[in-house]
Amino acid sequence: MIAFFDWVNQALSAGTVLKMIVGGVIVLLFCLLVVAYMIYFERKVIGWMQLRIGPNRVGPLGLFQSFADILKLLIKEDIVPREADKPLFLIAPIIAFIPSFVVVAAIPWSASHVFTADLAVALLYYLALSSITIVGIMLGGWASNNKYSLLGGMRSAAQMISYEIPLGMSLLGVILLAGSLNIADIVTAQQRFMWYIVPQFLGFCVFIVAATAELNRTPFDLPEAESELVAGYHTEYSGFRFAFYMLAEYMYVFAISTLGATLFLGGWSGPILPGWLWFAIKVMAFVFFFFWLRATMPRIRVDQLMSFSWKFLLPLALVNIVLTSVIKYWVNAG
Amino acid sequence: MADTRTEEMLMNVGPQHPSTHGVLRVVVKLDGETIVDAAPVIGYLHRGTEKLAEDLQYTQIIPYTDRMDYLAAMLNNYALVHAVEEAMDLEIPERAEYLRVIVMELNRIASHLLFIGTYLLDLGAMSPFLYAFQDRERIVQLFNEISGARLTYNYMRIGGVKWDAPPGWIDKVREFVPHMRESLKMLDDLITGNEIFLNRVRGIGAYDADTAIAYSLSGVNLRCTGLKWDLRKNRPYSVYDRFEFEIPVGENGDCYDRYILHLREMEQSLRIVEQACEQIPDGPVMGKAPKFVRPPAGEYYSGIEGARGELGVYFVSDGKDKPYRLKFRRPSFVNLQLLPSLLKGQNMANLIAILGAVDIVLGEVDC
């Protein structure tokens, strides 16, 4: 099985291309399944925290609820406002959605890298591609010709660009320690040393806050801000176009959780259990954390958000880089 | 940078907006996210209650008051019957007065709970809203048992109350008090210490006592500035002078003070409910009121401490069984006047925080 999909080490032929396509589709379907059940998981977790039951009607334990929702979104009327910028309005959710799935290509599910690319610059690849989504969100907000959407779009541009920087900075400490941009190498380095959450605790804190903001999740869900901007950038979106935005959001929750799990919690490494299971447990811990935040926190204000990023998070990330460099220098010198 | 000109944007917040708490429309002029100008537009829910009342007998007006501030219908009921009773100098049985106080204070708690829940929802937190609704549900159940309704109670009568409490009801109220105290502590722990929440509400929408008086504000909106003015203490009505309770006041007159006062007032209301349950005597719940209520000709005004401030009823009687003219002093309507001046210069997110803290019910604003 592994050899069959190990196209990285095979000559490019029609057969290899076919295998790539088959492998890609499998990963894609798997991701869709993960997203569907993450939505279910979120509703159950939040329901539990709010002393409610959560979905329990469709299928056993409400397990098919997400598919019912997807079906509903698929058959809903697709409305495009008359005054909207039609081409941009139609293309915006696709621009937001595609990068969220493309970043999955660099996620190391396990040590053997089945299906996914063993990129030497995986971290850069992730950061670069994920920032394209900002364009999709902003375009959607702009093209809707709705003032709430416009405000939401503008907010998201400001927010996501601002938090991209501390997010990237927070990873620098890990890169310095591991001496590599390759995610697999970083995991291996942790297996030899220790999980980077310990030596990189400061970086981890910055990472988790910046990641929450990057994902537009509570308490940083300002682009959406349903109590202020009605629904922000996707106010005018209905049916499956709306679903594209939601899919992108949940895909990113998953993707950034995998990133956190690999960079700070040792990825697939762990005793007794198989690697993929360890990986899944660690990813789920992150996902649970994001959902937990949503049940607990109120929303921060837009100006506070910006000053928090520039005046607090960024300096903290810089301090972390300096500290890591100094300590690494001492250790190496010693 | 000073020369940079930006285009202002006119935006309608409401009448359909999740955070206007009903059909309020605020026309805001925005420069980026900063509010240059804001004007509330009301009247989308106007039903002409005051005009309708002129064609109704006094007893027939009571159900109309349910629909004004639909979150505190018991208090509305009482405001009307109290005004008429005062005008006619009626004697009310003690048990009825105690039952009134119990349901009014429970209704105040229910209303404040909804304030806390929806306010946090406005600020983006969903859980407190659901917690608050679960506690409110218990009060609504109690009201359902005593009045047969969950929202429009129509429980008060001129001369007393419609029915006596069903057997065991008072005990249920007694059990509710400690439960509610626990819930309040939980809400306090969950919300008050939250740094994000504090950053959203501290120093936001602040005004001083002079402004509050100039705008004739009442209730929490007045007390948050530090003025100790509560009609239950300052002009005691019903049997309020028999209970020990305090009037919490704020210091800075900001959104935080308005939030915390709602929380503290619920604690005091629980104290009143507890004492009322201890002291309640047996006896009839309906006094000797004439079948056709005909207050002597003249002008009358009576105000009570509603959930949102002074809820006043002014009426002119020409000696007949229908009021010649009736006017409600609705605290939501009065308190809303300050909004435009509070909003200028704030940003869009603060609009929601300030509007929510004013605690309006649009049914009462429009009436």
Side-chain angles (χ1 to χ4, degrees), chain B residues 42-187:
Chain B
I42 60 170
Y44 292 93
L45 198 57
H46 184 62
R47 291 157 294 189
T49 308
E50 288 161 348
K51 189 68 192 165
L52 283 168
E54 291 170 19
D55 277 336
L56 296 166
Q57 292 175 2
Y58 286 96
T59 44
Q60 291 173 322
I61 305 170
I62 302 170
Y64 285 78
T65 64
D66 285 330
R67 277 109 183 131
M68 287 186 344
D69 178 355
Y70 37 77
L71 300 181
M74 289 289 189
L75 291 143
N76 297 355
N77 277 186
Y78 182 76
L80 180 79
V81 300
H82 178 60
V84 178
E85 283 162 2
E86 266 197 351
M88 294 182 64
D89 214 7
L90 287 180
E91 201 169 312
I92 317 299
E94 282 224 326
R95 187 172 174 83
E97 287 287 21
Y98 275 94
L99 281 175
R100 283 173 171 186
V101 166
I102 293 171
V103 293
M104 279 199 290
E105 291 309 316
L106 284 177
N107 211 170
R108 194 187 308 279
I109 296 170
S111 172
H112 282 10
L113 272 175
L114 214 74
F115 164 82
I116 298 222
T118 52
Y119 191 49
L120 266 292
L121 197 64
D122 289 347
L123 297 180
M126 192 166 59
S127 301
F129 176 72
L130 287 144
Y131 296 144
F133 253 82
Q134 275 154 2
D135 292 325
R136 178 179 177 268
E137 178 63 24
R138 289 184 67 144
I139 298 177
V140 169
Q141 287 293 346
L142 287 169
F143 285 168
N144 193 14
E145 285 173 31
I146 200 170
S147 73
R150 288 170 54 87
L151 191 75
T152 51
Y153 310 114
N154 189 19
Y155 181 58
M156 310 276 177
R157 289 291 177 272
I158 295 166
V161 293
K162 195 174 178 186
W163 291 300
D164 199 350
W169 190 82
I170 299 284
D171 293 328
K172 283 186 189 167
V173 176
R174 276 198 194 107
E175 284 164 26
F176 170 75
V177 173
H179 161 81
M180 193 61 224
R181 285 210 173 105
E182 282 286 308
S183 296
L184 285 180
K185 196 180 167 309
M186 191 271 289
L187 282 175

Side-chain angles (χ1 to χ4, degrees), chain B residues 8 46 58 97 109 134-135 140 149 166 188 193 203 207 219 221 244 255 272 281 330 332 346:
Chain B
E8 282 164 4
H46 184 62
Y58 286 96
E97 287 287 21
I109 296 170
Q134 275 154 2
D135 292 325
V140 169
D188 203 3
Y207 51 85
N221 287 290
E244 272 179 36
C255 289
I272 299 174
R330 294 106 62 197
S332 292
Q346 302 284 353

Side-chain angles (χ1 to χ4, degrees), chain B residues 90-344:
Chain B
L90 287 180
E91 201 169 312
I92 317 299
E94 282 224 326
R95 187 172 174 83
E97 287 287 21
Y98 275 94
L99 281 175
R100 283 173 171 186
V101 166
I102 293 171
V103 293
M104 279 199 290
E105 291 309 316
L106 284 177
N107 211 170
R108 194 187 308 279
I109 296 170
S111 172
H112 282 10
L113 272 175
L114 214 74
F115 164 82
I116 298 222
T118 52
Y119 191 49
L120 266 292
L121 197 64
D122 289 347
L123 297 180
M126 192 166 59
S127 301
F129 176 72
L130 287 144
Y131 296 144
F133 253 82
Q134 275 154 2
D135 292 325
R136 178 179 177 268
E137 178 63 24
R138 289 184 67 144
I139 298 177
V140 169
Q141 287 293 346
L142 287 169
F143 285 168
N144 193 14
E145 285 173 31
I146 200 170
S147 73
R150 288 170 54 87
L151 191 75
T152 51
Y153 310 114
N154 189 19
Y155 181 58
M156 310 276 177
R157 289 291 177 272
I158 295 166
V161 293
K162 195 174 178 186
W163 291 300
D164 199 350
W169 190 82
I170 299 284
D171 293 328
K172 283 186 189 167
V173 176
R174 276 198 194 107
E175 284 164 26
F176 170 75
V177 173
H179 161 81
M180 193 61 224
R181 285 210 173 105
E182 282 286 308
S183 296
L184 285 180
K185 196 180 167 309
M186 191 271 289
L187 282 175
D188 203 3
D189 290 345
L190 180 68
I191 304 163
T192 315
N194 188 304
E195 200 64 35
I196 296 175
F197 171 74
L198 292 177
N199 279 328
R200 287 294 305 271
V201 293
R202 265 204 192 136
I204 304 297
Y207 51 85
D208 58 10
D210 290 339
T211 315
I213 293 169
Y215 277 89
S216 163
L217 304 188
S218 52
V220 167
N221 287 290
L222 174 70
R223 288 191 288 272
C224 69
T225 62
L227 273 176
K228 212 174 206 170
W229 178 261
D230 188 311
L231 291 178
R232 289 173 296 175
K233 282 271 189 203
N234 295 81
R235 281 188 215 142
Y237 50 91
S238 193
V239 285
Y240 275 109
D241 49 358
R242 300 183 196 177
F243 306 121
E244 272 179 36
F245 63 102
E246 280 149 33
I247 306 299
V249 288
E251 287 168 15
N252 308 312
D254 55 5
C255 289
Y256 173 75
D257 278 359
R258 293 195 270 287
Y259 152 77
I260 203 81
L261 284 191
H262 277 96
L263 208 61
R264 301 283 170 261
E265 280 196 5
M266 283 195 268
E267 288 163 10
Q268 298 304 321
S269 289
L270 285 176
R271 278 178 74 188
I272 299 174
V273 170
E274 202 170 37
Q275 292 171 60
C277 286
E278 290 308 315
Q279 295 174 19
I280 188 166
D282 289 331
V285 292
M286 195 64 196
K288 290 191 186 85
K291 194 171 180 198
F292 289 99
V293 180
R294 292 194 179 91
E299 286 180 48
Y300 303 96
Y301 177 83
S302 159
I304 66 154
E305 189 65 36
R308 272 151 258 283
E310 179 171 348
L311 178 57
V313 180
Y314 165 83
F315 68 93
V316 181
S317 168
D318 52 5
K320 294 183 185 150
D321 57 351
K322 293 169 185 171
Y324 177 76
R325 177 79 182 92
L326 188 133
K327 165 99 182 108
F328 292 104
R329 184 214 187 267
R330 294 106 62 197
S332 292
F333 175 73
V334 180
N335 294 347
L336 190 64
Q337 295 177 88
L338 188 58
L339 192 68
S341 62
L342 284 184
L343 290 183
K344 271 176 206 156

